[in-house]
Amino acid sequence: MNTLTKRLLWMAVCCLPFVAGCKSGEKTVSGSTIDDAIYQNLPFEMPKVQQPAFPAYEVNIVDFGAKGDGLFLNTKAINDAIKDVNRHGGGKVIIPEGIWLTGPIELLSNVNLYTEQNSLVLFTGDFEAYPIIATSFEGLETRRCQSPISAMNAENIAITGYGVFDGAGDRWRPVKKDKMTDRQWKNLVNSGGKVDENGKVWYPNEGALKASVLMAGSGDKRTEITSEEWEDMKSWLRPVLLSIVKSKKILLEGVTFKNSPSWCLHPLSCESLILNDVKVFNPWYSQNGDALDVESCKNVLIANCFFDAGDDAICLKSGKGRRRGEPCENVIVRNNTVLHGHGGFVIGSEMSGGVKNVYVSECSFIGTDVGLRFKSARGRGGVVENIYINNINMIDIPNDALIADLYYAAKSAPGEPVPSVSEETPAFRNIYISDVFCRGAGRAAYLNGLPEMPIENISIKNMVVTGAKEGIVVNKVAKLNIENVEIDTPDQSMIQIENT
C-alpha cells in the first residue's frame, strides 16, 4: 500500500466517528433516570412530566473555535454551536474537558447542552458582557442584567452531563459584615470594592454602592433612574444564573451550578420541568443566594438533588400582584438534601398566583435556618392548598423545624383593625405533614395565620423533635390536627394555642 493510499484510508477511518456523530437519526430520550415509580401513591392526580428527546446530531464547541484554556472568551463559539444544532432540528452541543470562559449563553429549542467530565464553564466577571434587559424578579416585572444562561419560549431543552457552571457571583454580590469572620471581612475589603458609610456592607464597586443609596427606603425606585444612570450602576442589577421563561419540556441533570450572582436556578412560567441529580452551591453569606426558585410552573419533578444555599433552598413561588395569576402546581420533590439555607423546603413569599398539588418526601435538611417554611403576607394574595409532606429528616435547625407565617416581613400590632377579605388576602389550607424527625431546633413549630384568614385544615402527624429550645406555638388556625407528636424541650408549655 503506497503512502497516498495509507493517508486516504487514515482520513476515512478518522472521519467516520465524526460523520456518524453528526448524522441526524431517530430521536432518543435524553437519558434521565427518573422512572414511573416516582408517581406511585401520589395524593393527587398529576400527569407524567414529559421528558425532552433529541436527534442523534451532535457538535463540539471546539469545532466552532472554542478554547478551553480559561483565557479565551468563548461566548460566540458556544452560542454558534447552539444555533447550529437548533437549525439542524436539534441534538447535542458538547462542552468537553477544559475551562471555558464565556459570556451569556442562550439556549434554544431542541438543544441538549452536554458537559463532559472535568468541564468547567466559567462566566466572565466583566459586567459589560451582560446587557440590561426587561425581566421578572421576586415576582415583579423589572430590569436586570441578562442571565449567564437563559432560555425564552423554548421547547425540548436540556443541560446535562457532569460539568460545573460557575456564575462568578463574587463579582456581583454585596456582602454583609456580620456574615463573615473578622479575617474574611478584612480580606474582602482589601480585595477592592467599596464599603458603605456605616462600615457594615461591602459592595463590588462604586456603582453598586451608589445604586444601593438611591434604592434605599420603601418601594422599587428603579423607574426613577435613567438608562444612562443604570449603565454606570449595572452591577446592582444582579441576574439569576439560570433563567428559563415560558418554556416546555426541560431537563437539568447531573450538572453542578455554583456561585450565582443572585438566585441560582429560576424557571418561570414553564411546563414539564425535571431536575435530577443536580447540585447547587452558593456561599452561605451570599445575598439573595437562593438555590432553586420554581415560579408559576406546572408539572415539575425535583429529585436526587443536593443544595447548599445562601438563602432559601427549594422554593415554590407564583409572583406578586394579580397580573400574571399563574399558579405553581403539580410538583413532586423527592430524595433531596439541603445544607445551608434560610429554608430547606419553602413556599412563598411571592404567592399571588397560588400553589397547589405539591408532594414532598424523603428529604434531609442539615443545618438550614428553618426546615419546612411557608410564608406570605397581606397584599400578596393567592391560595396555597393540597400540600403533602412526609418522611423528612432534619438536624441542627437553629430556628423553626416547621413554620407557617402569614405575617412574613410584617408585624401584627395589638388592636389593629382587621381588614376585609379580598383577592389580596393570602389563604393557606389543606396542608398535611407526617413522619418528620428533627434533632436539634430553636422551636419545634410555629403556625401564625391572619385573623381574617386563619390557616385552615393543617395536620401534623408522627413528628418527633428532640433538643428543641421551645415547643409548638399556634395562633389563628382553623381545623388543626396534631397526632402522635413528641417534643423534647425544657419549655414549660410544650404547646401554646391561641385563637384556634
Side-chain angles (χ1 to χ4, degrees):
M1 187 181 293
N2 61 38
T3 302
L4 178 60
T5 305
K6 287 181 180 179
R7 285 179 180 172
L8 290 173
L9 179 60
W10 180 85
M11 288 174 64
V13 171
C14 289
C15 287
L16 277 174
F18 179 78
V19 173
C22 291
K23 183 180 178 181
S24 296
E26 294 295 323
K27 287 200 171 186
T28 56
V29 175
S30 56
S32 173
T33 56
I34 296 290
D35 59 33
D36 292 349
I38 201 167
Y39 300 98
Q40 291 179 0
N41 302 318
L42 280 182
F44 49 82
E45 291 187 4
M46 172 178 168
K48 293 179 182 178
V49 180
Q50 298 180 58
Q51 297 192 29
F54 305 93
Y57 182 80
E58 63 183 43
V59 300
N60 192 308
I61 62 171
V62 173
D63 298 322
F64 292 81
K67 298 178 182 179
D69 57 7
L71 299 173
F72 182 78
L73 190 65
N74 294 288
T75 312
K76 184 177 186 301
I78 295 174
N79 284 293
D80 282 351
I82 291 171
K83 291 174 184 175
D84 176 85
V85 171
N86 172 261
R87 281 195 300 267
H88 280 82
K92 182 187 292 186
V93 172
I94 299 173
I95 299 180
E97 177 180 7
I99 301 176
W100 309 96
L101 181 67
T102 182
I105 296 172
E106 298 181 30
L107 202 57
L108 302 176
S109 294
N110 302 313
V111 174
N112 176 12
L113 188 63
Y114 178 81
T115 55
E116 294 185 339
Q117 289 193 3
N118 205 24
S119 62
L120 171 58
V121 179
L122 177 62
F123 290 95
T124 177
D126 179 8
F127 304 128
E128 297 308 310
Y130 305 90
I132 297 174
I133 62 169
T135 186
S136 176
F137 182 69
E138 293 188 329
L140 295 174
E141 302 306 312
T142 185
R143 300 173 70 201
R144 295 177 77 83
C145 290
Q146 181 177 350
S147 289
I149 311 173
S150 63
M152 171 74 77
N153 295 316
E155 185 168 350
N156 203 57
I157 57 176
I159 301 176
T160 63
Y162 307 92
V164 178
F165 294 86
D166 188 313
D170 292 326
R171 292 278 292 125
W172 296 84
R173 294 188 304 265
V175 179
K176 295 178 180 178
K177 182 179 181 180
D178 61 7
K179 290 197 171 185
M180 309 194 88
T181 66
D182 290 342
R183 187 186 189 96
Q184 288 172 329
W185 177 254
K186 182 178 179 180
N187 290 339
L188 181 63
V189 172
N190 289 339
S191 70
K194 296 290 182 179
V195 178
D196 69 349
E197 61 180 12
N198 297 318
K200 294 183 177 181
V201 182
W202 174 90
Y203 294 88
N205 52 46
E206 183 71 40
L209 175 57
K210 181 180 177 182
S212 174
V213 173
L214 290 174
M215 296 290 291
S218 61
D220 191 334
K221 302 178 181 178
R222 295 170 197 232
T223 56
E224 302 172 12
I225 301 173
T226 66
S227 298
E228 291 75 17
E229 290 174 321
W230 272 127
E231 284 298 324
D232 293 331
M233 305 182 298
K234 67 187 306 181
S235 61
W236 177 259
L237 302 177
R238 297 177 288 139
V240 300
L241 195 160
L242 171 68
S243 172
I244 302 179
V245 182
K246 295 182 179 178
S247 299
K248 296 181 179 180
K249 290 201 292 185
I250 304 151
L251 173 67
L252 306 178
E253 185 169 64
V255 292
T256 297
F257 300 92
K258 67 180 292 287
N259 198 19
S260 61
S262 184
W263 294 352
C264 194
L265 310 179
H266 183 207
L268 169 63
S269 299
C270 293
E271 184 175 343
S272 295
L273 166 68
I274 298 175
L275 282 83
N276 182 41
D277 190 27
V278 169
K279 298 176 181 65
V280 174
F281 298 98
N282 272 337
W284 74 273
Y285 56 81
S286 55
Q287 192 83 357
N288 304 113
D290 297 32
L292 170 65
D293 292 278
V294 178
E295 185 171 1
S296 295
C297 293
K298 181 178 182 180
N299 302 336
V300 179
L301 299 180
I302 304 164
N304 312 311
C305 296
F306 190 98
F307 301 108
D308 192 351
D311 207 313
D312 291 330
I314 306 168
C315 190
L316 307 184
K317 302 174 179 285
S318 61
K320 286 181 183 176
R322 311 306 301 171
R323 290 178 59 190
R324 187 191 304 155
E326 293 178 55
C328 199
E329 60 182 322
N330 298 343
V331 181
I332 299 174
V333 181
R334 294 191 69 172
N335 192 34
N336 301 286
T337 301
V338 179
L339 298 186
H340 294 106
H342 288 185
F345 172 76
V346 183
I347 295 182
S349 63
E350 298 89 53
M351 296 309 318
S352 65
V355 173
K356 61 183 179 180
N357 296 348
V358 177
Y359 181 63
V360 183
S361 182
E362 301 160 84
C363 293
S364 298
F365 308 142
I366 304 169
T368 56
D369 292 351
V370 172
L372 300 167
R373 187 182 192 192
F374 303 82
K375 53 181 178 175
S376 192
R378 286 173 177 149
R380 306 208 173 190
V383 177
V384 175
E385 61 184 347
N386 302 340
I387 312 299
Y388 302 85
I389 301 174
N390 62 32
N391 294 330
I392 306 296
N393 293 324
M394 316 181 210
I395 60 173
D396 301 329
I397 307 298
N399 297 308
D400 299 282
L402 163 64
I403 183 171
D405 187 8
L406 272 61
Y407 280 92
Y408 174 71
K411 294 182 179 180
S412 58
E416 66 177 349
V418 177
S420 301
V421 173
S422 70
E423 66 174 8
E424 295 185 349
T425 306
F428 282 58
R429 63 195 183 208
N430 303 335
I431 300 171
Y432 308 94
I433 299 169
S434 63
D435 300 302
V436 174
F437 302 92
C438 177
R439 184 178 183 275
R443 182 167 50 190
Y446 180 61
L447 310 178
N448 188 33
L450 296 170
E452 71 273 22
M453 185 64 73
I455 298 170
E456 183 178 359
N457 192 26
I458 181 168
S459 174
I460 304 172
K461 292 184 178 182
N462 305 330
M463 180 175 180
V464 178
V465 182
T466 60
K469 295 179 181 178
E470 298 180 55
I472 299 175
V473 177
V474 179
N475 193 11
K476 296 182 283 291
V477 176
K479 297 181 182 178
L480 169 67
N481 180 58
I482 297 178
E483 182 178 343
N484 193 29
V485 172
E486 180 180 343
I487 310 296
D488 169 33
T489 175
D491 194 0
Q492 293 298 314
S493 54
M494 188 190 85
I495 181 166
Q496 303 175 47
I497 300 178
E498 298 182 47
N499 306 310
T500 297

